[in-house]
PDB file of all heavy atoms in Angstrom:
ATOM      1  N   VAL A  15       0.866  -1.185   0.014  1.00 91.00           N
ATOM      2  CA  VAL A  15      -0.001   0.025  -0.016  1.00 91.00           C
ATOM      3  C   VAL A  15       0.909   1.203  -0.027  1.00 91.00           C
ATOM      4  O   VAL A  15       1.900   1.288   0.696  1.00 91.00           O
ATOM      5  CB  VAL A  15      -0.900  -0.034   1.298  1.00 91.00           C
ATOM      6  CG1 VAL A  15      -1.717   1.308   1.430  1.00 91.00           C
ATOM      7  CG2 VAL A  15      -1.812  -1.261   1.212  1.00 91.00           C
ATOM      8  N   ALA A  16       0.466   2.216  -0.783  1.00 87.00           N
ATOM      9  CA  ALA A  16       1.250   3.500  -0.806  1.00 87.00           C
ATOM     10  C   ALA A  16       0.812   4.380   0.316  1.00 87.00           C
ATOM     11  O   ALA A  16      -0.359   4.167   0.854  1.00 87.00           O
ATOM     12  CB  ALA A  16       1.059   4.221  -2.059  1.00 87.00           C
ATOM     13  N   ASP A  17       1.594   5.315   0.704  1.00 72.00           N
ATOM     14  CA  ASP A  17       1.231   6.242   1.794  1.00 72.00           C
ATOM     15  C   ASP A  17      -0.087   6.992   1.441  1.00 72.00           C
ATOM     16  O   ASP A  17      -0.423   7.180   0.267  1.00 72.00           O
ATOM     17  CB  ASP A  17       2.387   7.326   1.972  1.00 72.00           C
ATOM     18  CG  ASP A  17       2.122   8.188   3.176  1.00 72.00           C
ATOM     19  OD1 ASP A  17       1.381   9.133   2.982  1.00 72.00           O
ATOM     20  OD2 ASP A  17       2.662   7.884   4.202  1.00 72.00           O
ATOM     21  N   SER A  18      -0.801   7.304   2.445  1.00 71.00           N
ATOM     22  CA  SER A  18      -2.195   7.925   2.169  1.00 71.00           C
ATOM     23  C   SER A  18      -2.106   9.310   1.517  1.00 71.00           C
ATOM     24  O   SER A  18      -3.106   9.720   0.964  1.00 71.00           O
ATOM     25  CB  SER A  18      -2.998   8.001   3.456  1.00 71.00           C
ATOM     26  OG  SER A  18      -2.276   8.748   4.413  1.00 71.00           O
ATOM     27  N   SER A  19      -0.968   9.954   1.665  1.00 78.00           N
ATOM     28  CA  SER A  19      -0.854  11.309   1.066  1.00 78.00           C
ATOM     29  C   SER A  19      -0.161  11.181  -0.269  1.00 78.00           C
ATOM     30  O   SER A  19       0.678  12.081  -0.600  1.00 78.00           O
ATOM     31  CB  SER A  19      -0.071  12.197   1.983  1.00 78.00           C
ATOM     32  OG  SER A  19       1.227  11.672   2.306  1.00 78.00           O
ATOM     33  N   VAL A  20      -0.517  10.219  -1.128  1.00 82.00           N
ATOM     34  CA  VAL A  20       0.108   9.963  -2.397  1.00 82.00           C
ATOM     35  C   VAL A  20       0.049  11.095  -3.360  1.00 82.00           C
ATOM     36  O   VAL A  20       0.990  11.500  -3.980  1.00 82.00           O
ATOM     37  CB  VAL A  20      -0.437   8.642  -2.980  1.00 82.00           C
ATOM     38  CG1 VAL A  20      -0.060   8.488  -4.409  1.00 82.00           C
ATOM     39  CG2 VAL A  20      -0.029   7.469  -2.140  1.00 82.00           C
ATOM     40  N   ASP A  21      -1.113  11.613  -3.547  1.00 85.00           N
ATOM     41  CA  ASP A  21      -1.378  12.612  -4.644  1.00 85.00           C
ATOM     42  C   ASP A  21      -0.419  13.851  -4.605  1.00 85.00           C
ATOM     43  O   ASP A  21       0.163  14.120  -5.551  1.00 85.00           O
ATOM     44  CB  ASP A  21      -2.836  12.984  -4.653  1.00 85.00           C
ATOM     45  CG  ASP A  21      -3.780  11.853  -5.027  1.00 85.00           C
ATOM     46  OD1 ASP A  21      -3.285  10.919  -5.716  1.00 85.00           O
ATOM     47  OD2 ASP A  21      -4.919  11.829  -4.646  1.00 85.00           O
ATOM     48  N   PRO A  22      -0.304  14.501  -3.431  1.00 90.00           N
ATOM     49  CA  PRO A  22       0.621  15.620  -3.450  1.00 90.00           C
ATOM     50  C   PRO A  22       2.070  15.227  -3.650  1.00 90.00           C
ATOM     51  O   PRO A  22       2.897  15.973  -4.211  1.00 90.00           O
ATOM     52  CB  PRO A  22       0.375  16.234  -2.076  1.00 90.00           C
ATOM     53  CG  PRO A  22      -0.532  15.393  -1.262  1.00 90.00           C
ATOM     54  CD  PRO A  22      -1.077  14.340  -2.171  1.00 90.00           C
ATOM     55  N   ILE A  23       2.442  14.055  -3.108  1.00 89.00           N
ATOM     56  CA  ILE A  23       3.807  13.591  -3.262  1.00 89.00           C
ATOM     57  C   ILE A  23       4.088  13.375  -4.751  1.00 89.00           C
ATOM     58  O   ILE A  23       5.136  13.754  -5.279  1.00 89.00           O
ATOM     59  CB  ILE A  23       4.032  12.210  -2.489  1.00 89.00           C
ATOM     60  CG1 ILE A  23       4.017  12.562  -1.009  1.00 89.00           C
ATOM     61  CG2 ILE A  23       5.362  11.592  -2.877  1.00 89.00           C
ATOM     62  CD1 ILE A  23       3.904  11.226  -0.125  1.00 89.00           C
ATOM     63  N   ILE A  24       3.156  12.724  -5.493  1.00 89.00           N
ATOM     64  CA  ILE A  24       3.377  12.440  -6.969  1.00 89.00           C
ATOM     65  C   ILE A  24       3.386  13.784  -7.675  1.00 89.00           C
ATOM     66  O   ILE A  24       4.220  13.928  -8.565  1.00 89.00           O
ATOM     67  CB  ILE A  24       2.243  11.546  -7.466  1.00 89.00           C
ATOM     68  CG1 ILE A  24       2.445  10.103  -6.918  1.00 89.00           C
ATOM     69  CG2 ILE A  24       2.239  11.558  -9.002  1.00 89.00           C
ATOM     70  CD1 ILE A  24       1.339   9.182  -7.225  1.00 89.00           C
ATOM     71  N   GLU A  25       2.565  14.738  -7.388  1.00 89.00           N
ATOM     72  CA  GLU A  25       2.498  16.043  -8.034  1.00 89.00           C
ATOM     73  C   GLU A  25       3.818  16.747  -7.850  1.00 89.00           C
ATOM     74  O   GLU A  25       4.391  17.285  -8.819  1.00 89.00           O
ATOM     75  CB  GLU A  25       1.320  16.790  -7.492  1.00 89.00           C
ATOM     76  CG  GLU A  25       1.131  18.150  -8.209  1.00 89.00           C
ATOM     77  CD  GLU A  25      -0.058  18.874  -7.676  1.00 89.00           C
ATOM     78  OE1 GLU A  25      -1.102  18.266  -7.319  1.00 89.00           O
ATOM     79  OE2 GLU A  25       0.029  20.146  -7.573  1.00 89.00           O
ATOM     80  N   GLU A  26       4.316  16.751  -6.633  1.00 92.00           N
ATOM     81  CA  GLU A  26       5.616  17.426  -6.398  1.00 92.00           C
ATOM     82  C   GLU A  26       6.717  16.739  -7.130  1.00 92.00           C
ATOM     83  O   GLU A  26       7.643  17.397  -7.729  1.00 92.00           O
ATOM     84  CB  GLU A  26       5.856  17.427  -4.921  1.00 92.00           C
ATOM     85  CG  GLU A  26       7.132  18.191  -4.495  1.00 92.00           C
ATOM     86  CD  GLU A  26       7.301  18.184  -2.986  1.00 92.00           C
ATOM     87  OE1 GLU A  26       6.365  18.668  -2.301  1.00 92.00           O
ATOM     88  OE2 GLU A  26       8.375  17.888  -2.525  1.00 92.00           O
ATOM     89  N   TYR A  27       6.737  15.462  -7.088  1.00 93.00           N
ATOM     90  CA  TYR A  27       7.772  14.624  -7.775  1.00 93.00           C
ATOM     91  C   TYR A  27       7.688  14.931  -9.336  1.00 93.00           C
ATOM     92  O   TYR A  27       8.743  15.174  -9.922  1.00 93.00           O
ATOM     93  CB  TYR A  27       7.491  13.178  -7.559  1.00 93.00           C
ATOM     94  CG  TYR A  27       8.324  12.258  -8.490  1.00 93.00           C
ATOM     95  CD1 TYR A  27       9.658  11.904  -8.162  1.00 93.00           C
ATOM     96  CD2 TYR A  27       7.802  11.752  -9.628  1.00 93.00           C
ATOM     97  CE1 TYR A  27      10.425  11.139  -9.002  1.00 93.00           C
ATOM     98  CE2 TYR A  27       8.520  10.937 -10.493  1.00 93.00           C
ATOM     99  CZ  TYR A  27       9.836  10.604 -10.150  1.00 93.00           C
ATOM    100  OH  TYR A  27      10.628   9.861 -11.009  1.00 93.00           O
ATOM    101  N   ARG A  28       6.503  14.960  -9.911  1.00 90.00           N
ATOM    102  CA  ARG A  28       6.455  15.241 -11.365  1.00 90.00           C
ATOM    103  C   ARG A  28       6.953  16.599 -11.708  1.00 90.00           C
ATOM    104  O   ARG A  28       7.540  16.798 -12.708  1.00 90.00           O
ATOM    105  CB  ARG A  28       4.978  15.048 -11.861  1.00 90.00           C
ATOM    106  CG  ARG A  28       4.462  13.598 -11.698  1.00 90.00           C
ATOM    107  CD  ARG A  28       4.398  12.774 -12.887  1.00 90.00           C
ATOM    108  NE  ARG A  28       4.210  13.295 -14.229  1.00 90.00           N
ATOM    109  CZ  ARG A  28       3.221  12.967 -14.951  1.00 90.00           C
ATOM    110  NH1 ARG A  28       2.171  12.253 -14.547  1.00 90.00           N
ATOM    111  NH2 ARG A  28       3.124  13.460 -16.153  1.00 90.00           N
ATOM    112  N   GLU A  29       6.661  17.582 -10.898  1.00 93.00           N
ATOM    113  CA  GLU A  29       7.132  18.935 -11.136  1.00 93.00           C
ATOM    114  C   GLU A  29       8.607  18.996 -11.025  1.00 93.00           C
ATOM    115  O   GLU A  29       9.304  19.708 -11.744  1.00 93.00           O
ATOM    116  CB  GLU A  29       6.457  19.892 -10.063  1.00 93.00           C
ATOM    117  CG  GLU A  29       4.999  20.207 -10.350  1.00 93.00           C
ATOM    118  CD  GLU A  29       4.360  21.105  -9.251  1.00 93.00           C
ATOM    119  OE1 GLU A  29       5.089  21.619  -8.500  1.00 93.00           O
ATOM    120  OE2 GLU A  29       3.125  21.153  -9.309  1.00 93.00           O
ATOM    121  N   GLU A  30       9.175  18.321  -9.976  1.00 94.00           N
ATOM    122  CA  GLU A  30      10.658  18.371  -9.810  1.00 94.00           C
ATOM    123  C   GLU A  30      11.392  17.681 -10.924  1.00 94.00           C
ATOM    124  O   GLU A  30      12.430  18.197 -11.319  1.00 94.00           O
ATOM    125  CB  GLU A  30      10.978  17.747  -8.412  1.00 94.00           C
ATOM    126  CG  GLU A  30      12.498  17.873  -8.137  1.00 94.00           C
ATOM    127  CD  GLU A  30      12.794  17.334  -6.736  1.00 94.00           C
ATOM    128  OE1 GLU A  30      11.890  17.285  -5.884  1.00 94.00           O
ATOM    129  OE2 GLU A  30      13.998  17.094  -6.463  1.00 94.00           O
ATOM    130  N   TYR A  31      10.920  16.580 -11.376  1.00 94.00           N
ATOM    131  CA  TYR A  31      11.665  15.744 -12.354  1.00 94.00           C
ATOM    132  C   TYR A  31      11.302  15.967 -13.784  1.00 94.00           C
ATOM    133  O   TYR A  31      11.941  15.504 -14.714  1.00 94.00           O
ATOM    134  CB  TYR A  31      11.649  14.275 -12.009  1.00 94.00           C
ATOM    135  CG  TYR A  31      12.496  14.007 -10.769  1.00 94.00           C
ATOM    136  CD1 TYR A  31      11.887  14.017  -9.516  1.00 94.00           C
ATOM    137  CD2 TYR A  31      13.837  13.821 -10.808  1.00 94.00           C
ATOM    138  CE1 TYR A  31      12.668  13.830  -8.350  1.00 94.00           C
ATOM    139  CE2 TYR A  31      14.621  13.682  -9.735  1.00 94.00           C
ATOM    140  CZ  TYR A  31      13.996  13.682  -8.441  1.00 94.00           C
ATOM    141  OH  TYR A  31      14.744  13.502  -7.342  1.00 94.00           O
ATOM    142  N   GLY A  32      10.164  16.704 -14.056  1.00 92.00           N
ATOM    143  CA  GLY A  32       9.816  17.012 -15.400  1.00 92.00           C
ATOM    144  C   GLY A  32       9.771  15.849 -16.254  1.00 92.00           C
ATOM    145  O   GLY A  32       9.146  14.836 -15.924  1.00 92.00           O
ATOM    146  N   LYS A  33      10.399  16.021 -17.446  1.00 92.00           N
ATOM    147  CA  LYS A  33      10.372  14.950 -18.460  1.00 92.00           C
ATOM    148  C   LYS A  33      11.145  13.666 -18.016  1.00 92.00           C
ATOM    149  O   LYS A  33      11.021  12.626 -18.676  1.00 92.00           O
ATOM    150  CB  LYS A  33      10.879  15.435 -19.808  1.00 92.00           C
ATOM    151  CG  LYS A  33      12.293  15.862 -19.835  1.00 92.00           C
ATOM    152  CD  LYS A  33      12.659  16.432 -21.246  1.00 92.00           C
ATOM    153  CE  LYS A  33      13.995  17.109 -21.236  1.00 92.00           C
ATOM    154  NZ  LYS A  33      15.172  16.362 -21.245  1.00 92.00           N
ATOM    155  N   ASP A  34      11.911  13.820 -16.980  1.00 94.00           N
ATOM    156  CA  ASP A  34      12.699  12.655 -16.510  1.00 94.00           C
ATOM    157  C   ASP A  34      11.956  11.872 -15.332  1.00 94.00           C
ATOM    158  O   ASP A  34      12.586  11.051 -14.681  1.00 94.00           O
ATOM    159  CB  ASP A  34      14.012  13.101 -15.995  1.00 94.00           C
ATOM    160  CG  ASP A  34      14.946  13.658 -17.105  1.00 94.00           C
ATOM    161  OD1 ASP A  34      14.812  13.166 -18.236  1.00 94.00           O
ATOM    162  OD2 ASP A  34      15.731  14.563 -16.848  1.00 94.00           O
ATOM    163  N   TYR A  35      10.639  12.097 -15.240  1.00 92.00           N
ATOM    164  CA  TYR A  35       9.932  11.473 -14.102  1.00 92.00           C
ATOM    165  C   TYR A  35       9.801   9.977 -14.238  1.00 92.00           C
ATOM    166  O   TYR A  35       9.570   9.278 -13.262  1.00 92.00           O
ATOM    167  CB  TYR A  35       8.544  12.080 -13.961  1.00 92.00           C
ATOM    168  CG  TYR A  35       7.512  11.675 -15.005  1.00 92.00           C
ATOM    169  CD1 TYR A  35       6.577  10.629 -14.691  1.00 92.00           C
ATOM    170  CD2 TYR A  35       7.440  12.319 -16.245  1.00 92.00           C
ATOM    171  CE1 TYR A  35       5.617  10.232 -15.611  1.00 92.00           C
ATOM    172  CE2 TYR A  35       6.430  11.859 -17.134  1.00 92.00           C
ATOM    173  CZ  TYR A  35       5.511  10.902 -16.816  1.00 92.00           C
ATOM    174  OH  TYR A  35       4.573  10.484 -17.693  1.00 92.00           O
ATOM    175  N   LEU A  36      10.067   9.332 -15.437  1.00 92.00           N
ATOM    176  CA  LEU A  36       9.953   7.904 -15.575  1.00 92.00           C
ATOM    177  C   LEU A  36      11.362   7.190 -15.570  1.00 92.00           C
ATOM    178  O   LEU A  36      11.459   6.028 -15.807  1.00 92.00           O
ATOM    179  CB  LEU A  36       9.205   7.540 -16.876  1.00 92.00           C
ATOM    180  CG  LEU A  36       7.715   7.860 -16.874  1.00 92.00           C
ATOM    181  CD1 LEU A  36       7.123   7.513 -18.250  1.00 92.00           C
ATOM    182  CD2 LEU A  36       7.041   7.123 -15.804  1.00 92.00           C
ATOM    183  N   VAL A  37      12.402   7.927 -15.296  1.00 94.00           N
ATOM    184  CA  VAL A  37      13.729   7.362 -15.230  1.00 94.00           C
ATOM    185  C   VAL A  37      13.859   6.597 -13.960  1.00 94.00           C
ATOM    186  O   VAL A  37      13.486   7.057 -12.845  1.00 94.00           O
ATOM    187  CB  VAL A  37      14.786   8.550 -15.221  1.00 94.00           C
ATOM    188  CG1 VAL A  37      16.167   7.964 -15.002  1.00 94.00           C
ATOM    189  CG2 VAL A  37      14.714   9.336 -16.517  1.00 94.00           C
ATOM    190  N   PRO A  38      14.281   5.309 -14.081  1.00 94.00           N
ATOM    191  CA  PRO A  38      14.291   4.428 -12.906  1.00 94.00           C
ATOM    192  C   PRO A  38      15.055   5.017 -11.663  1.00 94.00           C
ATOM    193  O   PRO A  38      14.533   4.848 -10.545  1.00 94.00           O
ATOM    194  CB  PRO A  38      14.975   3.132 -13.439  1.00 94.00           C
ATOM    195  CG  PRO A  38      14.585   3.084 -14.839  1.00 94.00           C
ATOM    196  CD  PRO A  38      14.559   4.532 -15.273  1.00 94.00           C
ATOM    197  N   GLU A  39      16.172   5.653 -11.838  1.00 94.00           N
ATOM    198  CA  GLU A  39      16.852   6.265 -10.707  1.00 94.00           C
ATOM    199  C   GLU A  39      16.051   7.267 -10.009  1.00 94.00           C
ATOM    200  O   GLU A  39      16.049   7.389  -8.797  1.00 94.00           O
ATOM    201  CB  GLU A  39      18.228   6.853 -11.150  1.00 94.00           C
ATOM    202  CG  GLU A  39      19.211   5.821 -11.575  1.00 94.00           C
ATOM    203  CD  GLU A  39      19.543   4.848 -10.443  1.00 94.00           C
ATOM    204  OE1 GLU A  39      19.753   5.271  -9.319  1.00 94.00           O
ATOM    205  OE2 GLU A  39      19.542   3.671 -10.756  1.00 94.00           O
ATOM    206  N   ASN A  40      15.290   8.084 -10.744  1.00 93.00           N
ATOM    207  CA  ASN A  40      14.379   9.046 -10.119  1.00 93.00           C
ATOM    208  C   ASN A  40      13.186   8.348  -9.455  1.00 93.00           C
ATOM    209  O   ASN A  40      12.739   8.771  -8.355  1.00 93.00           O
ATOM    210  CB  ASN A  40      13.886  10.058 -11.152  1.00 93.00           C
ATOM    211  CG  ASN A  40      15.026  10.850 -11.721  1.00 93.00           C
ATOM    212  OD1 ASN A  40      16.051  10.971 -11.127  1.00 93.00           O
ATOM    213  ND2 ASN A  40      14.807  11.385 -12.921  1.00 93.00           N
ATOM    214  N   LEU A  41      12.705   7.318 -10.059  1.00 94.00           N
ATOM    215  CA  LEU A  41      11.585   6.623  -9.539  1.00 94.00           C
ATOM    216  C   LEU A  41      11.896   5.874  -8.161  1.00 94.00           C
ATOM    217  O   LEU A  41      11.075   5.729  -7.305  1.00 94.00           O
ATOM    218  CB  LEU A  41      11.026   5.536 -10.491  1.00 94.00           C
ATOM    219  CG  LEU A  41      10.202   6.147 -11.660  1.00 94.00           C
ATOM    220  CD1 LEU A  41      10.027   5.137 -12.815  1.00 94.00           C
ATOM    221  CD2 LEU A  41       8.911   6.607 -11.170  1.00 94.00           C
ATOM    222  N   LYS A  42      13.211   5.608  -8.009  1.00 93.00           N
ATOM    223  CA  LYS A  42      13.633   5.054  -6.701  1.00 93.00           C
ATOM    224  C   LYS A  42      13.468   6.073  -5.566  1.00 93.00           C
ATOM    225  O   LYS A  42      13.043   5.643  -4.442  1.00 93.00           O
ATOM    226  CB  LYS A  42      15.124   4.630  -6.714  1.00 93.00           C
ATOM    227  CG  LYS A  42      15.353   3.380  -7.643  1.00 93.00           C
ATOM    228  CD  LYS A  42      16.854   3.078  -7.744  1.00 93.00           C
ATOM    229  CE  LYS A  42      17.072   1.903  -8.614  1.00 93.00           C
ATOM    230  NZ  LYS A  42      18.516   1.586  -8.843  1.00 93.00           N
ATOM    231  N   ILE A  43      13.655   7.346  -5.935  1.00 92.00           N
ATOM    232  CA  ILE A  43      13.382   8.390  -4.906  1.00 92.00           C
ATOM    233  C   ILE A  43      11.901   8.470  -4.563  1.00 92.00           C
ATOM    234  O   ILE A  43      11.504   8.601  -3.429  1.00 92.00           O
ATOM    235  CB  ILE A  43      13.917   9.697  -5.477  1.00 92.00           C
ATOM    236  CG1 ILE A  43      15.474   9.645  -5.641  1.00 92.00           C
ATOM    237  CG2 ILE A  43      13.521  10.929  -4.537  1.00 92.00           C
ATOM    238  CD1 ILE A  43      16.109  10.714  -6.432  1.00 92.00           C
ATOM    239  N   LEU A  44      11.090   8.403  -5.665  1.00 92.00           N
ATOM    240  CA  LEU A  44       9.645   8.406  -5.400  1.00 92.00           C
ATOM    241  C   LEU A  44       9.195   7.219  -4.634  1.00 92.00           C
ATOM    242  O   LEU A  44       8.390   7.349  -3.698  1.00 92.00           O
ATOM    243  CB  LEU A  44       8.925   8.469  -6.778  1.00 92.00           C
ATOM    244  CG  LEU A  44       7.371   8.382  -6.748  1.00 92.00           C
ATOM    245  CD1 LEU A  44       6.816   9.652  -5.997  1.00 92.00           C
ATOM    246  CD2 LEU A  44       6.758   8.292  -8.091  1.00 92.00           C
ATOM    247  N   ALA A  45       9.737   6.083  -4.880  1.00 90.00           N
ATOM    248  CA  ALA A  45       9.352   4.861  -4.163  1.00 90.00           C
ATOM    249  C   ALA A  45       9.594   5.038  -2.718  1.00 90.00           C
ATOM    250  O   ALA A  45       8.760   4.725  -1.803  1.00 90.00           O
ATOM    251  CB  ALA A  45      10.142   3.646  -4.655  1.00 90.00           C
ATOM    252  N   ALA A  46      10.676   5.662  -2.283  1.00 88.00           N
ATOM    253  CA  ALA A  46      11.008   5.901  -0.893  1.00 88.00           C
ATOM    254  C   ALA A  46      10.011   6.854  -0.265  1.00 88.00           C
ATOM    255  O   ALA A  46       9.575   6.742   0.892  1.00 88.00           O
ATOM    256  CB  ALA A  46      12.407   6.433  -0.716  1.00 88.00           C
ATOM    257  N   GLN A  47       9.548   7.831  -1.058  1.00 87.00           N
ATOM    258  CA  GLN A  47       8.575   8.816  -0.562  1.00 87.00           C
ATOM    259  C   GLN A  47       7.209   8.262  -0.443  1.00 87.00           C
ATOM    260  O   GLN A  47       6.405   8.689   0.388  1.00 87.00           O
ATOM    261  CB  GLN A  47       8.515  10.062  -1.464  1.00 87.00           C
ATOM    262  CG  GLN A  47       9.783  10.869  -1.475  1.00 87.00           C
ATOM    263  CD  GLN A  47       9.779  11.906  -2.527  1.00 87.00           C
ATOM    264  OE1 GLN A  47       9.090  11.834  -3.563  1.00 87.00           O
ATOM    265  NE2 GLN A  47      10.550  12.995  -2.284  1.00 87.00           N
TER     266      GLN A  47
END
């Protein structure tokens, strides 16, 4: 199960990583969050 505050975390992540949001190294950071 993902953390209950998923939506703002994902939104912030997508803004920070832009077009590189699907890069596995970046997704590892998202996974931790």
Side-chain angles (χ1 to χ4, degrees):
V15 172
D17 187 277
S18 60
S19 58
V20 168
D21 295 334
I23 293 170
I24 290 173
E25 186 177 320
E26 185 178 306
Y27 168 83
R28 297 258 330 241
E29 286 176 14
E30 184 174 342
Y31 289 94
K33 63 181 170 80
D34 293 329
Y35 77 98
L36 292 177
V37 173
E39 287 305 311
N40 297 338
L41 285 164
K42 289 177 184 177
I43 295 165
L44 177 62
Q47 294 173 334

